[in-house]
Each structure stands twice: as C-alpha cells, then as structure tokens.
Amino acid sequence: MSLPKMLAQRHGSPLYVYDLDRVLAARRDLSDALPPGCDVYYALKANPHPDLARELRLGGCKAEISSLGELASALTAGFDAGDVLYTGPGKTPSELDSAFALGVRRFSAESPTDLQHIGAAALRCGTVASCLLRINSETSAANTGIRMTGRPSQFGIDSETIAGLAAELRAVPGTTIEGLHLFSQSNAESEDALIGELSHAVELAAHLEKELDVTLGLLDIGGGFAAPYGRHGSRCLYPRLRPALESVLDEWFPRWCEGTPRLAVEAGRYLVGDSGTLVTTVSNMKTSRGKTFVVLDAGINTFGGMSGLGRTLPVSVEIDGDGPRKAFLAGPLCTPGDILGREVPIPDLRPGDLVEIPNAGAYGVTASPLMFLGRPAPTEVVVRGGEVVSVSRIEHVRRCAG
C-alpha cells in the first residue's frame, strides 16, 4: 500500500499528502534551467501551505503574493517582508497600509492609478515603495497556455501607452520605478513556446526601458513553467531554456551578468504541483442509463480547479490503477456540477476503496469552493523522506463583526 493511502487510513479522507522531497527536486530542476543569479519568486496562490512555502524559502525562493492572507502565510514561512513582491490589480488603501506596516516595500503596479495608490500609502508610512510596472504586452510570441496579455485586461499597463505615460509614471510621489513585471502566460505547452514568450519579454523590456528613461534594476519576466494538474505525468524539463535566455539577455541587456538588471521569474504549480497526492474514498457506485458513476468523498469543494482557467472544474482528473472500465467521478455535493472526471478509466472499485489523484499539490484546497455546503476541509499531511512533518486542516469560524 502506498504511503498516501496508509496516511489516509490513519487520518481519514479526503486527504492531501505533500512530499517536501518533491518540492526540493522541482526547485533544483528550475534552478538548473535558469541563468545564474536569476531570482525565483514562489507564487503562493498555487499553495500557501506554510511548510511548502518554508521549503522553497530555504531553497532560495522569494515570495510573490497578492493578498494580506498570502502575506501572512509568507511571513509564517519565514520570508523577509522586504523581499516579498506584492501584486494584483485591486490593492485597497487599507491593505496597502497593512502591507507597509508589516514591512513590504516592493509592489507590482498594474496601472497609473494603482501606482498612485501605492505611493500614497508609502507616504502615509513615511517611506518609498520600490515598484515594478506590470506590462500588458500588445503582442506575444506564442498563443499557448493561459494568456494574460495581448488583450484588454485588468492586468498591467498597455505597452503601447508607456511612452506617453513615462513622465507621469516617474513622478508619482512615494514611489521609485525599480523595474518591469511581464507575466504573459501560465502553463506553456512546450519549451519552444516558453522560450519564445520569455525572450519576447526581455526584448520588450529593453524597448520600454528606453521609453521610460530609467535604468531597470529588476526585470521580472514571469513564468509559464508547466506541470500536469490532477493527471498522470511529469513536470517539464527545460534543457534549452538557460542558453536561450542567456543569449537574448546578452543581446538586449549586455550588463545583466553584473546585475543590471537582475532577472527574476515566477513559478507556482511547477514548484509544488507534483509534490501533492489527493486520497479520496469511494462512497458509492451506481449505474445510470448505461453510465457508471463512482461517488467519492472529495469533490469540487476539495479539488475545485484553477481560478486562472476561468472555470470552476478541472478538465478531468485521473486516478491510480487505471483499468478497462470507464466512469464518471462524482463528488459528494448536492449539485450536478460536482464532477471531477468524465469517462475516466478506473480499476475494479467498491465502496470503501481508497483512490489517489496525482499531481494535486497546486491549486487544490485553497483554489476550491471550500465552504460550499459546509463540508469539512480535507486534512493536509506534509512528509519528508517518508516521515510525517505536520498534520493540519483549515477551519472556518464565523465571528460576530460588531
């Protein structure tokens, strides 16, 4: 019996098991694929579990967050607030004040008004914010993965408007333009697509540096590093990415090796996706008009899909022990939308059996409608070398607001 199933027998299901050895392996693989000196920001939206975040901090990562909740997780994991990158298009005055009070000084500005709001909060705190201007590129090098640019968007300043806004952006009180933030896609479908998009970001940044009339200190070219989600498979490896990026950096930023600018990327699912296994129990099985339904104790409230996909449900999960039969994998919720997979190959199953969903370390618990119908959150177990590091579960508590 696998370790995740053994842990489920001890702690019950649904149960997430995260393996820190896999987190460390992913961090090493990504480091090997990047130019020397490149900063890696861990996007806590993928999985804010403090033990996973702490492992990545110890592995040299910095933290990218977009809420005070994620900031709290990052600080719990030991990240230095001064190295955190605070992103997102809807930063409110109160959360900016709180972030500054906690020591955050680096922000991604999504628009001229967002930059003004950051500056006003910095002045209230008696400091200056180091800002990356997030850019919504007018063009792209690829049309794969989840697109974040090249269309009207709440994310980023339209690249074609930078020249006309340069003086205004440089003059915002309480801010200094430290660099640029170009995040164009997620989960690139191939290494060629990833190289094309990141190379395009470097070239665009060189042109924008001239239009802004600033010297870039930090260039965040985003991510797109791919990993399977709830299905069998392995993380992508990128043997050609490092030399390709070094070549394009040599062309457009000949002093990059000296740290002008310092290069950064962001990664979430790539770093934690294959560390996680979701164990769920078969509650019931039935046949309806010729179709087999396997009802599990984990549904969309437990593994609800990535918000970045623009839909609630994963495309389709897979389970261990594929067999000749096919079935719909349904969750326990009282809604017909609680389907984790359609016509998924299954082994011989019966109520009470444990099954595993692989590659579930990213966009799991906290990317799900966890409170829908009031079912308890799944237990989360962290292991290293086959030994349990921690056991925890998210609890929801209603408190009076008066």
Side-chain angles (χ1 to χ4, degrees), residues 18-231:
Y18 308 123
D19 188 340
L20 294 180
D21 292 333
R22 297 300 307 157
V23 174
L24 183 59
R27 175 66 182 96
R28 289 171 176 165
D29 285 345
L30 186 57
S31 179
D32 289 344
L34 296 170
C38 181
D39 289 333
V40 175
Y41 282 87
Y42 173 52
L44 265 77
K45 63 178 65 67
N47 190 331
H49 194 294
D51 286 344
L52 275 65
R54 184 178 297 108
E55 187 72 15
L56 289 166
R57 175 183 63 80
L58 294 173
C61 289
K62 298 181 179 182
E64 182 269 319
I65 56 98
S66 57
S67 71
L68 293 177
E70 288 185 344
L71 176 57
S73 295
L75 297 179
T76 298
F79 285 98
D80 183 346
D83 283 335
V84 167
L85 174 60
Y86 203 122
T87 68
K91 309 176 195 75
T92 65
S94 62
E95 70 178 285
L96 285 169
D97 288 343
S98 295
F100 275 108
L102 289 168
V104 179
R105 295 293 183 267
R106 180 175 290 133
F107 295 83
S108 174
E110 304 272 2
S111 65
T113 50
D114 189 32
L115 184 65
Q116 292 164 14
H117 295 161
I118 294 167
L123 293 176
R124 290 193 295 271
C125 189
T127 189
V128 175
S130 296
C131 294
L132 307 183
L133 301 180
R134 183 163 180 176
I135 303 300
N136 180 5
S137 175
E138 187 176 18
T139 59
S140 66
N143 191 28
T144 62
I146 303 170
R147 300 299 314 166
M148 303 288 285
T149 59
R151 59 191 178 193
S153 174
Q154 71 268 43
F155 298 108
I157 305 169
D158 295 342
S159 59
E160 66 273 22
T161 68
I162 289 293
L165 293 172
E168 173 188 343
L169 296 169
R170 291 195 306 267
V172 175
T175 70
T176 183
I177 298 176
E178 182 186 12
L180 298 175
H181 179 194
L182 298 100
F183 194 106
S184 60
Q185 67 172 345
S186 180
N187 216 34
E189 72 172 15
S190 68
E191 185 173 23
D192 285 338
L194 182 66
I195 289 172
E197 201 66 42
L198 296 184
S199 298
H200 173 72
V202 172
E203 180 179 352
L204 175 60
H207 293 298
L208 294 179
E209 181 182 47
K210 294 178 180 178
E211 293 183 356
L212 285 164
D213 192 22
V214 298
T215 298
L216 300 182
L218 180 62
L219 175 57
D220 182 345
I221 57 175
F225 310 104
Y229 177 65
R231 302 175 67 85

Side-chain angles (χ1 to χ4, degrees), residues 262-318:
R262 187 172 181 86
L263 188 69
V265 298
E266 299 170 37
R269 86 186 72 206
Y270 189 86
L271 292 171
V272 297
D274 76 349
S275 74
T277 301
L278 172 58
V279 186
T280 176
T281 301
V282 177
S283 297
N284 193 18
M285 296 187 67
K286 62 168 290 188
T287 300
S288 176
R289 297 194 170 111
K291 300 293 185 180
T292 299
F293 285 78
V294 177
V295 183
L296 306 171
D297 65 357
I300 60 172
N301 60 317
T302 301
F303 195 65
M306 295 173 287
S307 58
L309 284 175
R311 56 177 175 258
T312 302
L313 299 180
V315 177
S316 180
V317 305
E318 295 176 341

Side-chain angles (χ1 to χ4, degrees), residues 372-396:
F372 184 53
L373 291 181
R375 299 183 72 87
T379 301
E380 296 172 272
V381 178
V382 178
V383 301
R384 186 199 307 275
E387 299 296 324
V388 173
V389 173
S390 69
V391 181
S392 62
R393 186 169 66 190
I394 296 171
E395 298 285 356
H396 296 288

